[in-house]
Amino acid sequence: MKSVAIIGAQWGDEGKGKITDLLSERSDLVVRYQGGNNAGHTIIVDGKKIVLHLIPSGVLRGDVTAVIGHGVVFDPQAFCQEMITLKSWDGDIDASRIKISANCPVVTSYHHLLDRCREEHKGGVTIGTTLKGIGPCYEDKVARRAVRVGDLLNKQLLSKRLAAMLSEKEYLFTHLYKAEFPTLEEERDRLLELGNLIRPHICDTFSLVDQAVAKGKKVLFEGAQGVLLDIDYGSYPYVTSSNTTVGGIFTGGSPSGAAPEAVIGITKAYTTRVGEGPFPTEQLGEIGEKLQSIGGERGATTGRKRRCGWLDLPLLRYAIKASHLTSLALTKLDILSGFDQLKLCTGYHYQGEMIDCAFPGIDLEQVEPIYEDLALFDDKFEDGISEKSLSPNLKNYIKRIEELAGVPVDILAYGPGRDQVIIRKTFF
Ligand code: IMP
């Protein structure tokens, strides 16, 4: 294959960074195309952990070009901090391989502030955002008044763009939220300085990917968040502000030749969610706490505890349809090892009917999950994991998910390391 996409099939945090890291071994470019540093992609190499937020996970492979496409909302300060983390993780990292689209909207101090004001404002809808300014920045993009990365290199243009952006916000900060905010000059000077630092990375990433594809290079698209957080397909309004589904690839960074041939949906063997919003299979008692503690379920970006529950097949089936997923990567199977009960949600009772697939507009607060009990497993894999070494009950758990989902599980992960994964199909 020439192009493959990695997409979160749940509410984010499914382990996309880890799968991207693995598949990037054989790819030439890894492209982020939506979201921003609200993402937190955790990767463990030789027992050493790194969390990437904005820089594509492929950067950890020495010869991969890591591309931040124009669909990403770009926080230059967060990027510079992440570069420091990356360099302290690996002093030899070749930073020239990181490319940023000149057309990415820039996350400014005003977006951060607005995000916080809205979340704290009594009477507004509390989404439980990551407070990274993502939603307000996408708002400005759509309203055609965003500062874009290329503007950071031109003082006059930047002043003009900031003036347009600040005109309404100034009123909101002063009169509605009563919040202090940086002056236009302060923000301009801060951004100009950051623009200077990131200058070597800025380019036309569309043409870069296009030319690479024309030369036969292999492209991996790395999604952020998950299908159920998609602005159009997700559990609105408790969603993020971008298209986390496959459509985001087309609008956020892919020339025609790079359209993905395989779209891998990443799903945990159970379900988690951070922030507000409905969660049909959430377990509030002992099971939820066990999943949370054994699974280390805390947000990689905000440190918030993740809500936990059983795997929800009606939602997974919906994600498969909404994002054209061709197969699944099933992560964190090891967390379920040794549990004294194991359940899959196979359908819902909803408005007097039984349904097996969610759909847009369904009221997830009103569904009643139908569960199936599965045989327990307790695999250890002390001599390494292989297809042959899977116990019958573990195999059965995976097979049952395949049956209910209607697509194959092509990748399975039984631990955080690169060597705790089985890849059942050759993608590149
Ligand atoms: P925002 O993207 O910061 O605006 O947050 C909107 C919603 O998406 C909140 O419920 C966040 O918790 C959630 N969210 C955003 N990014 C991630 C992520 O990378 N993983 C999981 N949830 C996320």
Side-chain angles (χ1 to χ4, degrees):
M1 288 181 194
K2 289 278 175 235
S3 170
V4 173
I6 305 267
I7 303 238
Q10 299 172 303
W11 278 294
D13 309 314
E14 302 92 349
K16 294 177 291 292
K18 170 196 177 72
I19 304 298
T20 304
D21 169 61
L22 282 168
L23 295 190
S24 62
E25 188 182 10
R26 287 159 173 261
S27 58
D28 301 297
L29 288 91
V30 176
V31 182
R32 277 277 311 265
Y33 52 90
Q34 48 72 226
N37 62 315
N38 49 349
H41 294 170
T42 306
I43 303 146
I44 296 178
V45 183
D46 300 332
K48 233 168 107 189
K49 175 171 148 177
I50 183 163
V51 184
L52 295 170
H53 300 280
L54 199 49
I55 301 175
S57 303
V59 75
L60 304 183
R61 303 280 184 182
D63 45 4
V64 167
T65 304
V67 180
I68 300 177
H70 60 256
V72 170
V73 284
F74 184 84
D75 183 331
Q77 189 156 345
F79 175 81
C80 290
Q81 275 157 3
E82 199 163 312
M83 286 299 290
I84 294 170
T85 309
L86 195 56
K87 280 185 185 151
S88 66
W89 191 80
D90 176 1
D92 295 331
I93 212 115
D94 171 13
S96 70
R97 293 185 288 111
I98 303 172
K99 308 290 181 189
I100 308 162
S101 167
N103 283 355
C104 290
V106 172
V107 181
T108 66
S109 302
Y110 305 129
H111 297 127
H112 278 268
L113 189 56
L114 205 49
D115 205 355
R116 185 170 290 279
C117 289
R118 292 214 177 110
E119 286 287 304
E120 288 173 358
H121 186 63
K122 288 195 181 69
V125 186
T126 306
I127 305 292
T129 73
T130 58
L131 300 177
K132 303 287 179 194
I134 305 298
C137 184
Y138 273 118
E139 282 173 37
D140 276 343
K141 166 183 164 168
V142 175
R144 294 156 292 188
R145 58 172 174 238
V147 169
R148 301 205 289 180
V149 164
D151 304 336
L152 302 183
L153 307 179
N154 180 327
K155 186 172 177 178
Q156 269 177 344
L157 191 58
L158 180 58
S159 298
K160 201 172 129 196
R161 296 262 193 263
L162 280 173
M165 174 186 286
L166 192 54
S167 60
E168 279 179 358
K169 290 182 186 58
E170 192 164 13
Y171 186 88
L172 291 178
F173 291 142
T174 310
H175 299 288
L176 179 64
Y177 299 122
K178 307 203 182 337
E180 283 189 23
F181 58 95
T183 63
L184 188 150
E185 291 72 24
E186 284 167 344
E187 184 62 359
R188 181 199 60 202
D189 292 347
R190 186 185 77 89
L191 290 175
L192 276 175
E193 207 174 300
L194 289 164
N196 219 13
L197 289 174
I198 64 168
R199 184 185 293 267
H201 303 283
I202 303 175
C203 68
D204 163 15
T205 55
F206 181 89
S207 301
L208 178 103
V209 177
D210 191 38
Q211 283 156 19
V213 169
K215 286 185 196 142
K217 303 283 184 197
K218 292 170 182 167
V219 184
L220 186 61
F221 289 100
E222 179 181 18
Q225 293 84 47
V227 172
L228 305 174
L229 288 172
D230 183 280
I231 184 73
D232 290 303
Y233 287 101
S235 49
Y236 192 90
Y238 302 103
V239 293
T240 190
S241 300
S242 63
N243 282 119
T244 58
T245 40
V246 72
I249 294 176
F250 297 98
T251 55
S254 132
S256 57
E261 290 158 70
V263 185
I264 309 171
I266 318 301
T267 173
K268 278 180 193 164
Y270 49 97
T271 307
T272 63
R273 169 163 213 176
V274 251
E276 306 298 319
F279 182 172
T281 60
E282 182 170 18
Q283 299 296 302
L284 294 171
E286 198 188 322
I287 293 286
E289 279 166 28
K290 206 167 158 189
L291 288 168
Q292 203 275 323
S293 65
I294 300 177
E297 296 296 352
R298 266 187 191 277
T301 301
T302 58
R304 291 177 290 176
K305 267 190 184 178
R306 294 180 187 138
R307 300 154 62 193
C308 299
W310 299 117
L311 186 60
D312 184 327
L313 269 302
L315 281 178
L316 189 57
R317 272 196 211 101
Y318 169 67
I320 289 165
K321 290 179 198 228
S323 194
H324 306 207
L325 306 181
T326 51
S327 67
L328 296 173
L330 193 55
T331 62
K332 295 193 100 165
L333 276 159
D334 54 310
I335 305 304
L336 297 177
S337 168
F339 266 55
D340 55 12
Q341 54 174 311
L342 211 49
K343 290 181 192 291
L344 289 176
C345 167
T346 56
Y348 300 144
H349 288 298
Y350 182 59
Q351 297 181 338
E353 281 181 49
M354 235 178 76
I355 58 166
D356 62 9
C357 185
F359 50 87
I362 188 172
D363 183 354
L364 290 175
E365 302 277 12
Q366 300 302 322
V367 303
E368 201 187 305
I370 302 165
Y371 290 108
E372 180 175 302
D373 282 295
L374 278 100
L376 312 176
F377 57 83
D378 186 14
D379 300 48
K380 296 278 185 287
F381 303 117
E382 271 143 14
D383 301 323
I385 188 170
S386 69
E387 195 71 51
K388 275 195 204 138
S389 62
L390 304 180
S391 68
N393 287 358
L394 175 54
K395 264 190 201 150
N396 181 58
Y397 187 77
I398 299 163
K399 192 163 147 275
R400 190 69 187 124
I401 291 170
E402 288 182 314
E403 281 167 6
L404 292 165
V407 295
V409 170
D410 278 341
I411 301 176
L412 53 106
Y414 204 89
R418 279 178 174 169
D419 54 354
Q420 290 168 302
V421 177
I422 297 177
I423 303 183
R424 292 169 151 180
K425 176 176 172 163
T426 308
F427 289 97
F428 287 121

